[in-house]
Amino acid sequence: MPLGSDRERGGHKGYSLAIMVDMLSGVLSGANWGPFAPPFALRQEIPKRSVGKGIGHFFGAMRVDGFIEADSFKRQVDEYVRVFRAARPAPGTSGR
Protein backbone atom coordinates (compact mmCIF):
# COMPACT_ATOMS: atom_id res chain seq x y z
CA MET A 1 0.00 0.00 0.00
CA PRO A 2 1.38 3.48 -0.81
CA LEU A 3 2.68 5.41 2.18
CA GLY A 4 -0.10 7.63 3.48
CA SER A 5 -3.07 5.45 2.54
CA ASP A 6 -4.55 3.78 -0.48
CA ARG A 7 -4.69 5.45 -3.88
CA GLU A 8 -8.14 7.00 -3.30
CA ARG A 9 -7.24 8.60 0.04
CA GLY A 10 -3.65 9.65 -0.21
CA GLY A 11 -1.83 8.54 -3.28
CA HIS A 12 1.79 7.67 -3.53
CA LYS A 13 3.46 9.86 -0.91
CA GLY A 14 6.26 7.31 -0.72
CA TYR A 15 7.31 8.27 -4.25
CA SER A 16 8.15 11.83 -3.17
CA LEU A 17 9.92 10.61 -0.05
CA ALA A 18 12.02 8.28 -2.20
CA ILE A 19 12.97 11.22 -4.42
CA MET A 20 14.12 13.22 -1.39
CA VAL A 21 16.23 10.30 -0.16
CA ASP A 22 17.72 9.94 -3.65
CA MET A 23 18.53 13.67 -3.80
CA LEU A 24 20.14 13.71 -0.36
CA SER A 25 22.11 10.48 -0.74
CA GLY A 26 22.79 10.63 -4.48
CA VAL A 27 22.77 14.15 -5.90
CA LEU A 28 24.06 15.93 -2.75
CA SER A 29 26.91 13.46 -2.26
CA GLY A 30 27.95 13.52 -5.93
CA ALA A 31 27.00 9.88 -6.44
CA ASN A 32 24.88 8.27 -9.12
CA TRP A 33 21.15 8.72 -8.60
CA GLY A 34 17.85 7.31 -9.84
CA PRO A 35 18.18 5.03 -12.85
CA PHE A 36 21.96 5.62 -12.95
CA ALA A 37 22.66 4.12 -9.52
CA PRO A 38 24.39 0.74 -9.67
CA PRO A 39 22.10 -2.13 -8.66
CA PHE A 40 22.33 -3.57 -5.16
CA ALA A 41 21.37 -7.06 -6.29
CA LEU A 42 23.56 -9.35 -8.35
CA ARG A 43 22.46 -10.24 -11.87
CA GLN A 44 20.85 -6.88 -12.50
CA GLU A 45 22.02 -4.84 -15.45
CA ILE A 46 24.52 -2.10 -14.61
CA PRO A 47 23.43 1.26 -16.05
CA LYS A 48 25.33 2.23 -19.21
CA ARG A 49 25.44 5.92 -18.23
CA SER A 50 26.88 7.45 -15.08
CA VAL A 51 25.97 10.86 -13.63
CA GLY A 52 28.14 10.65 -10.52
CA LYS A 53 30.54 8.35 -8.71
CA GLY A 54 29.36 5.11 -7.13
CA ILE A 55 26.62 4.83 -4.53
CA GLY A 56 26.10 7.73 -2.12
CA HIS A 57 25.02 8.00 1.49
CA PHE A 58 23.46 10.67 3.65
CA PHE A 59 23.78 11.04 7.40
CA GLY A 60 21.93 13.83 9.13
CA ALA A 61 21.94 15.01 12.73
CA MET A 62 20.11 17.73 14.59
CA ARG A 63 19.86 19.00 18.11
CA VAL A 64 16.39 18.09 19.28
CA ASP A 65 16.60 20.68 22.06
CA GLY A 66 16.96 23.36 19.39
CA PHE A 67 13.31 22.69 18.57
CA ILE A 68 11.67 21.30 21.70
CA GLU A 69 12.75 20.39 25.24
CA ALA A 70 14.42 16.96 25.23
CA ASP A 71 12.16 15.52 27.95
CA SER A 72 9.05 16.70 26.12
CA PHE A 73 10.34 15.13 22.91
CA LYS A 74 10.99 11.82 24.66
CA ARG A 75 7.45 11.83 26.13
CA GLN A 76 5.96 12.56 22.72
CA VAL A 77 7.96 9.77 21.06
CA ASP A 78 6.83 7.31 23.73
CA GLU A 79 3.21 8.35 23.15
CA TYR A 80 3.70 8.11 19.37
CA VAL A 81 4.91 4.52 19.72
CA ARG A 82 2.02 3.62 22.08
CA VAL A 83 -0.59 5.04 19.69
CA PHE A 84 0.76 3.20 16.67
CA ARG A 85 1.17 -0.10 18.49
CA ALA A 86 -2.47 0.17 19.60
CA ALA A 87 -3.79 0.84 16.09
CA ARG A 88 -6.08 -1.79 14.62
CA PRO A 89 -4.95 -3.39 11.37
CA ALA A 90 -6.76 -2.50 8.14
CA PRO A 91 -9.65 -4.82 7.31
CA GLY A 92 -8.46 -8.00 5.62
CA THR A 93 -4.90 -7.72 6.91
CA SER A 94 -3.06 -9.35 9.79
CA GLY A 95 -1.44 -6.11 10.93
CA ARG A 96 2.08 -7.40 10.37
Side-chain angles (χ1 to χ4, degrees):
M1 182 180 314
L3 181 66
S5 189
D6 57 23
R7 186 171 266 174
E8 291 77 33
R9 284 181 237 135
H12 290 52
K13 291 177 182 75
Y15 188 81
S16 295
L17 292 173
I19 288 172
M20 289 308 304
V21 169
D22 205 21
M23 286 188 181
L24 292 171
S25 61
V27 178
L28 184 64
S29 71
N32 288 295
W33 46 264
F36 309 108
F40 290 106
L42 297 174
R43 299 188 183 123
Q44 285 183 323
E45 186 177 335
I46 295 175
K48 292 175 180 35
R49 181 174 162 218
S50 180
V51 293
K53 295 187 180 190
I55 296 173
H57 302 279
F58 175 78
F59 298 91
M62 66 178 82
R63 285 190 53 168
V64 169
D65 63 356
F67 299 90
I68 187 173
E69 290 181 22
D71 288 340
S72 179
F73 178 74
K74 289 174 187 173
R75 282 192 302 277
Q76 290 291 335
V77 169
D78 288 344
E79 179 66 10
Y80 192 98
V81 170
R82 275 192 294 278
V83 167
F84 278 89
R85 284 186 175 165
R88 286 184 272 169
T93 69
S94 67
R96 301 210 179 249

